[in-house]
Amino acid sequence: MNRNLFDFAPAAWLPTQDKAVLEYNLKFDKAKLTTLLVSQAEIEEAFAAVDPEFLTILEQAAENIRNFHSKQVRNSFVIADKPGIVLGQKVTPIEKVGVYVPGGTAAYPSTVLMDTIPAKIAGCGTIVMVTPPGADGKINPVILAAAKIAGVDMIFKVGGAQAVAALAYGTQTVPKVDKIVGPGNIYVALAKKAVYEVFSSFKNFTVTGAELIDENERICTFSVITSLSGDERIEISLRRDTGSVVLYDGRSAVDSIERVIAAGWGNLYGKI
Protein backbone atom coordinates (compact mmCIF):
# COMPACT_ATOMS: atom_id res chain seq x y z
CA MET A 1 0.00 0.00 0.00
CA ASN A 2 1.27 3.44 -0.86
CA ARG A 3 1.58 5.19 2.50
CA ASN A 4 2.17 8.64 0.94
CA LEU A 5 -1.54 9.23 1.28
CA PHE A 6 -1.23 9.05 5.04
CA ASP A 7 2.12 10.74 5.48
CA PHE A 8 0.59 14.06 4.41
CA ALA A 9 0.15 16.58 7.17
CA PRO A 10 -3.36 18.09 6.93
CA ALA A 11 -1.91 21.34 5.55
CA ALA A 12 -0.22 19.44 2.72
CA TRP A 13 -3.31 17.33 2.04
CA LEU A 14 -5.66 20.31 1.63
CA PRO A 15 -4.43 21.59 -1.77
CA THR A 16 -4.89 18.20 -3.50
CA GLN A 17 -7.81 16.49 -1.75
CA ASP A 18 -10.39 15.57 -4.43
CA LYS A 19 -7.78 15.60 -7.19
CA ALA A 20 -5.63 13.07 -5.33
CA VAL A 21 -8.61 10.81 -4.65
CA LEU A 22 -9.74 10.93 -8.29
CA GLU A 23 -6.22 10.02 -9.43
CA TYR A 24 -6.13 7.04 -7.07
CA ASN A 25 -9.58 5.96 -8.32
CA LEU A 26 -8.22 5.90 -11.85
CA LYS A 27 -5.01 4.12 -10.84
CA PHE A 28 -6.53 1.37 -8.71
CA ASP A 29 -10.15 1.01 -9.88
CA LYS A 30 -9.73 2.16 -13.50
CA ALA A 31 -12.60 4.59 -12.92
CA LYS A 32 -12.20 7.93 -14.68
CA LEU A 33 -14.43 10.33 -12.77
CA THR A 34 -14.88 14.08 -12.58
CA THR A 35 -16.85 14.06 -9.34
CA LEU A 36 -17.00 11.82 -6.28
CA LEU A 37 -20.48 12.54 -4.97
CA VAL A 38 -23.29 10.21 -6.04
CA SER A 39 -26.23 12.30 -7.22
CA GLN A 40 -29.83 11.81 -6.15
CA ALA A 41 -30.67 11.00 -9.76
CA GLU A 42 -28.14 8.14 -9.73
CA ILE A 43 -29.65 6.78 -6.51
CA GLU A 44 -33.18 6.86 -7.92
CA GLU A 45 -32.04 5.24 -11.17
CA ALA A 46 -30.34 2.42 -9.25
CA PHE A 47 -33.35 1.94 -7.00
CA ALA A 48 -35.61 1.55 -10.03
CA ALA A 49 -33.22 -0.99 -11.59
CA VAL A 50 -33.23 -3.38 -8.63
CA ASP A 51 -35.63 -6.33 -8.64
CA PRO A 52 -38.75 -5.39 -6.62
CA GLU A 53 -38.62 -8.71 -4.78
CA PHE A 54 -35.08 -7.98 -3.65
CA LEU A 55 -36.11 -4.50 -2.53
CA THR A 56 -38.81 -6.10 -0.38
CA ILE A 57 -36.17 -8.34 1.20
CA LEU A 58 -33.96 -5.31 1.91
CA GLU A 59 -36.85 -3.41 3.46
CA GLN A 60 -37.79 -6.37 5.65
CA ALA A 61 -34.17 -6.74 6.77
CA ALA A 62 -34.00 -3.02 7.53
CA GLU A 63 -37.13 -3.24 9.66
CA ASN A 64 -35.71 -6.21 11.59
CA ILE A 65 -32.49 -4.32 12.25
CA ARG A 66 -34.41 -1.24 13.42
CA ASN A 67 -36.58 -3.30 15.76
CA PHE A 68 -33.56 -4.95 17.34
CA HIS A 69 -31.30 -1.94 17.75
CA SER A 70 -34.07 0.34 18.96
CA LYS A 71 -34.03 -1.76 22.13
CA GLN A 72 -30.36 -0.91 22.68
CA VAL A 73 -30.67 2.87 22.72
CA ARG A 74 -28.89 4.48 25.68
CA ASN A 75 -30.42 7.64 27.07
CA SER A 76 -29.14 10.54 29.15
CA PHE A 77 -30.57 10.89 32.64
CA VAL A 78 -30.21 12.98 35.79
CA ILE A 79 -30.91 11.85 39.36
CA ALA A 80 -31.41 14.63 41.90
CA ASP A 81 -33.52 12.97 44.58
CA LYS A 82 -31.34 14.07 47.49
CA PRO A 83 -30.48 17.66 48.46
CA GLY A 84 -27.09 18.74 47.14
CA ILE A 85 -26.48 15.54 45.19
CA VAL A 86 -26.85 15.37 41.43
CA LEU A 87 -25.93 12.24 39.49
CA GLY A 88 -26.39 11.54 35.84
CA GLN A 89 -25.28 10.20 32.52
CA LYS A 90 -24.98 12.14 29.29
CA VAL A 91 -25.06 10.19 26.04
CA THR A 92 -23.79 12.19 23.06
CA PRO A 93 -24.13 10.60 19.59
CA ILE A 94 -21.18 10.83 17.21
CA GLU A 95 -21.77 13.69 14.79
CA LYS A 96 -20.29 12.26 11.57
CA VAL A 97 -19.74 8.57 10.83
CA GLY A 98 -18.06 7.13 7.75
CA VAL A 99 -19.31 3.79 6.45
CA TYR A 100 -17.00 1.81 4.17
CA VAL A 101 -18.90 -0.58 1.90
CA PRO A 102 -16.92 -3.08 -0.22
CA GLY A 103 -17.51 -3.22 -3.95
CA GLY A 104 -15.95 -4.89 -6.95
CA THR A 105 -15.82 -8.67 -6.46
CA ALA A 106 -18.12 -8.51 -3.43
CA ALA A 107 -21.17 -6.30 -2.95
CA TYR A 108 -22.73 -6.37 0.51
CA PRO A 109 -25.99 -4.43 0.86
CA SER A 110 -26.22 -6.00 4.31
CA THR A 111 -23.16 -3.97 5.34
CA VAL A 112 -25.02 -0.79 4.43
CA LEU A 113 -28.04 -1.74 6.51
CA MET A 114 -26.19 -3.09 9.54
CA ASP A 115 -23.74 -0.19 9.80
CA THR A 116 -26.09 2.66 8.96
CA ILE A 117 -29.36 1.85 10.72
CA PRO A 118 -27.89 1.47 14.25
CA ALA A 119 -26.04 4.76 13.78
CA LYS A 120 -29.28 6.47 12.75
CA ILE A 121 -31.09 5.04 15.75
CA ALA A 122 -28.25 6.21 18.03
CA GLY A 123 -28.77 9.75 16.75
CA CYS A 124 -25.63 10.21 14.67
CA GLY A 125 -25.95 13.43 12.70
CA THR A 126 -24.49 12.52 9.30
CA ILE A 127 -23.78 9.14 7.72
CA VAL A 128 -21.17 9.34 4.95
CA MET A 129 -20.84 6.22 2.81
CA VAL A 130 -17.87 5.41 0.56
CA THR A 131 -17.78 2.51 -1.88
CA PRO A 132 -15.54 1.79 -4.88
CA PRO A 133 -16.95 2.45 -8.34
CA GLY A 134 -16.66 0.08 -11.27
CA ALA A 135 -14.53 0.90 -14.29
CA ASP A 136 -17.67 2.45 -15.79
CA GLY A 137 -17.82 4.90 -12.90
CA LYS A 138 -21.02 3.43 -11.49
CA ILE A 139 -21.89 1.93 -8.11
CA ASN A 140 -23.60 -1.45 -7.81
CA PRO A 141 -27.36 -0.68 -7.85
CA VAL A 142 -28.13 -2.92 -4.85
CA ILE A 143 -25.64 -0.93 -2.75
CA LEU A 144 -27.33 2.35 -3.65
CA ALA A 145 -30.78 0.85 -3.06
CA ALA A 146 -29.72 -0.33 0.39
CA ALA A 147 -28.27 3.11 1.12
CA LYS A 148 -31.58 4.76 0.27
CA ILE A 149 -33.53 2.34 2.46
CA ALA A 150 -31.08 2.74 5.36
CA GLY A 151 -31.09 6.54 5.18
CA VAL A 152 -27.47 7.27 4.23
CA ASP A 153 -26.95 11.03 3.95
CA MET A 154 -24.05 11.22 1.48
CA ILE A 155 -22.50 8.63 -0.87
CA PHE A 156 -19.12 8.94 -2.55
CA LYS A 157 -17.53 6.93 -5.35
CA VAL A 158 -14.26 6.00 -3.73
CA GLY A 159 -12.86 2.84 -2.23
CA GLY A 160 -9.62 1.40 -0.99
CA ALA A 161 -7.00 3.25 1.02
CA GLN A 162 -7.92 6.55 -0.62
CA ALA A 163 -11.45 6.30 0.77
CA VAL A 164 -10.13 5.90 4.31
CA ALA A 165 -7.83 8.89 3.81
CA ALA A 166 -10.69 11.00 2.46
CA LEU A 167 -12.89 10.20 5.44
CA ALA A 168 -10.11 10.76 7.96
CA TYR A 169 -8.69 14.00 6.57
CA GLY A 170 -11.64 15.33 4.59
CA THR A 171 -11.58 16.72 1.04
CA GLN A 172 -13.35 19.52 -0.79
CA THR A 173 -16.42 17.29 -1.11
CA VAL A 174 -15.95 14.40 1.33
CA PRO A 175 -16.53 15.59 4.92
CA LYS A 176 -14.07 14.62 7.61
CA VAL A 177 -15.74 12.09 9.93
CA ASP A 178 -15.33 11.19 13.58
CA LYS A 179 -15.41 7.40 13.16
CA ILE A 180 -15.06 4.88 10.34
CA VAL A 181 -16.90 1.56 10.31
CA GLY A 182 -17.37 -1.21 7.78
CA PRO A 183 -15.32 -4.11 6.38
CA GLY A 184 -12.72 -3.92 3.64
CA ASN A 185 -9.79 -5.74 2.09
CA ILE A 186 -6.27 -5.82 3.45
CA TYR A 187 -5.49 -2.39 1.97
CA VAL A 188 -8.49 -0.85 3.69
CA ALA A 189 -7.50 -2.53 6.96
CA LEU A 190 -3.93 -1.23 6.75
CA ALA A 191 -5.22 2.22 5.82
CA LYS A 192 -7.34 2.24 8.97
CA LYS A 193 -4.25 1.27 10.94
CA ALA A 194 -2.29 4.14 9.38
CA VAL A 195 -5.05 6.60 10.22
CA TYR A 196 -5.20 5.30 13.77
CA GLU A 197 -1.46 5.92 14.10
CA VAL A 198 -1.83 9.50 12.83
CA PHE A 199 -4.86 10.40 14.94
CA SER A 200 -4.51 8.92 18.41
CA SER A 201 -8.08 9.98 19.20
CA PHE A 202 -9.45 8.45 16.00
CA LYS A 203 -10.33 5.08 17.50
CA ASN A 204 -11.64 3.28 14.45
CA PHE A 205 -9.10 0.55 13.84
CA THR A 206 -9.79 -3.18 13.79
CA VAL A 207 -7.77 -5.68 11.78
CA THR A 208 -8.34 -9.42 11.93
CA GLY A 209 -6.61 -12.24 10.18
CA ALA A 210 -3.28 -13.83 9.46
CA GLU A 211 -1.24 -12.42 6.61
CA LEU A 212 1.02 -14.58 4.48
CA ILE A 213 3.21 -13.62 1.51
CA ASP A 214 3.77 -16.08 -1.33
CA GLU A 215 6.78 -16.35 -3.62
CA ASN A 216 5.35 -13.70 -5.96
CA GLU A 217 4.94 -11.27 -3.03
CA ARG A 218 1.16 -11.38 -3.21
CA ILE A 219 -0.71 -10.61 -0.02
CA CYS A 220 -2.41 -13.87 0.91
CA THR A 221 -4.82 -14.20 3.79
CA PHE A 222 -7.20 -16.99 4.68
CA SER A 223 -10.58 -17.35 6.28
CA VAL A 224 -12.25 -20.34 7.86
CA ILE A 225 -15.62 -21.33 6.42
CA THR A 226 -16.38 -24.34 8.61
CA SER A 227 -14.69 -25.97 11.57
CA LEU A 228 -16.19 -29.12 13.04
CA SER A 229 -14.85 -31.58 15.58
CA GLY A 230 -12.87 -33.78 13.17
CA ASP A 231 -9.62 -32.46 11.68
CA GLU A 232 -10.68 -33.65 8.22
CA ARG A 233 -13.74 -31.37 8.40
CA ILE A 234 -11.77 -28.12 8.45
CA GLU A 235 -12.33 -26.14 5.27
CA ILE A 236 -10.37 -23.05 4.27
CA SER A 237 -11.06 -20.42 1.65
CA LEU A 238 -7.90 -18.70 0.41
CA ARG A 239 -8.41 -15.03 -0.34
CA ARG A 240 -6.25 -11.98 -0.94
CA ASP A 241 -8.57 -9.53 0.75
CA THR A 242 -9.89 -10.87 4.06
CA GLY A 243 -8.57 -12.94 6.90
CA SER A 244 -9.35 -14.81 10.08
CA VAL A 245 -7.32 -16.44 12.83
CA VAL A 246 -7.56 -20.21 13.30
CA LEU A 247 -7.33 -21.51 16.86
CA TYR A 248 -7.27 -25.29 16.99
CA ASP A 249 -5.96 -27.91 19.40
CA GLY A 250 -4.08 -30.54 17.45
CA ARG A 251 -1.01 -30.72 15.20
CA SER A 252 -2.89 -32.73 12.57
CA ALA A 253 -5.32 -29.84 12.10
CA VAL A 254 -2.44 -27.43 11.48
CA ASP A 255 -0.91 -29.90 9.00
CA SER A 256 -4.23 -30.04 7.14
CA ILE A 257 -4.44 -26.24 6.97
CA GLU A 258 -0.87 -25.96 5.69
CA ARG A 259 -1.57 -28.55 2.97
CA VAL A 260 -4.60 -26.60 1.76
CA ILE A 261 -2.67 -23.34 1.71
CA ALA A 262 0.22 -24.95 -0.15
CA ALA A 263 -2.17 -26.44 -2.71
CA GLY A 264 -3.72 -23.06 -3.40
CA TRP A 265 -0.74 -20.72 -3.21
CA GLY A 266 2.51 -22.65 -3.61
CA ASN A 267 5.49 -21.93 -1.35
CA LEU A 268 4.65 -19.47 1.42
CA TYR A 269 6.97 -17.33 3.48
CA GLY A 270 4.93 -17.62 6.63
CA LYS A 271 3.59 -19.96 9.23
CA ILE A 272 0.21 -20.29 10.90
Side-chain angles (χ1 to χ4, degrees):
M1 182 185 69
N2 188 333
R3 284 185 59 96
N4 291 339
L5 213 57
F6 306 98
D7 291 337
F8 288 149
W13 168 265
L14 287 174
T16 56
Q17 293 185 335
D18 281 352
K19 181 176 181 291
V21 174
L22 290 168
E23 288 174 352
Y24 277 107
N25 271 357
L26 180 60
K27 180 178 180 179
F28 296 118
D29 293 320
K30 313 303 180 187
K32 188 173 183 179
L33 305 172
T34 57
T35 182
L36 298 171
L37 182 65
V38 176
S39 68
Q40 188 60 39
E42 289 177 286
I43 296 172
E44 296 301 333
E45 180 183 356
F47 197 82
V50 176
D51 187 308
E53 184 177 354
F54 188 70
L55 289 177
T56 299
I57 293 172
L58 286 179
E59 289 166 350
Q60 290 175 344
E63 185 62 24
N64 292 339
I65 294 169
R66 288 189 189 97
N67 289 339
F68 178 84
H69 287 286
S70 63
K71 308 297 183 184
Q72 297 180 311
V73 175
R74 298 175 63 188
N75 297 308
S76 300
F77 62 85
V78 174
I79 301 174
D81 55 358
K82 295 181 181 179
I85 300 177
V86 178
L87 304 173
Q89 169 180 283
K90 181 173 176 57
V91 178
T92 304
I94 296 173
E95 177 57 31
K96 291 187 179 70
V97 177
V99 176
Y100 188 95
V101 179
T105 57
Y108 301 120
S110 57
T111 294
V112 182
L113 300 180
M114 291 187 290
D115 285 344
T116 301
I117 293 173
K120 283 288 187 179
I121 292 173
C124 296
T126 304
I127 308 298
V128 182
M129 189 180 95
V130 292
T131 188
D136 59 358
K138 295 183 178 181
I139 303 298
N140 190 310
V142 300
I143 296 297
L144 294 182
K148 179 178 178 179
I149 290 171
V152 173
D153 298 292
M154 306 176 76
I155 308 170
F156 294 94
K157 300 176 182 180
V158 54
Q162 62 269 32
V164 175
L167 290 172
Y169 290 98
T171 76
Q172 286 97 341
T173 56
V174 182
K176 179 180 178 179
V177 301
D178 304 304
K179 184 178 181 67
I180 300 174
V181 300
N185 61 22
I186 188 65
Y187 300 104
V188 172
L190 292 176
K192 288 182 181 180
K193 181 175 184 294
V195 168
Y196 178 80
E197 292 170 350
V198 172
F199 301 106
S200 59
S201 62
F202 201 73
K203 300 189 182 303
N204 64 354
F205 167 57
T206 55
V207 171
T208 59
E211 181 179 320
L212 303 168
I213 306 296
D214 75 358
E215 58 191 353
N216 296 317
E217 297 185 348
R218 294 176 297 181
I219 294 177
C220 163
T221 56
F222 63 90
S223 60
V224 172
I225 295 178
T226 307
S227 178
L228 301 179
S229 57
D231 293 349
E232 73 283 358
R233 299 295 297 174
I234 291 181
E235 301 175 35
I236 294 179
S237 173
L238 289 167
R239 302 189 57 166
R240 294 186 180 91
D241 57 355
T242 58
S244 300
V245 174
V246 180
L247 298 178
Y248 204 92
D249 184 15
R251 179 64 228 179
S252 59
V254 176
D255 291 339
S256 297
I257 293 169
E258 289 179 335
R259 283 198 300 273
V260 174
I261 291 176
W265 289 86
N267 297 322
L268 297 170
Y269 304 129
K271 292 293 183 181
I272 297 175

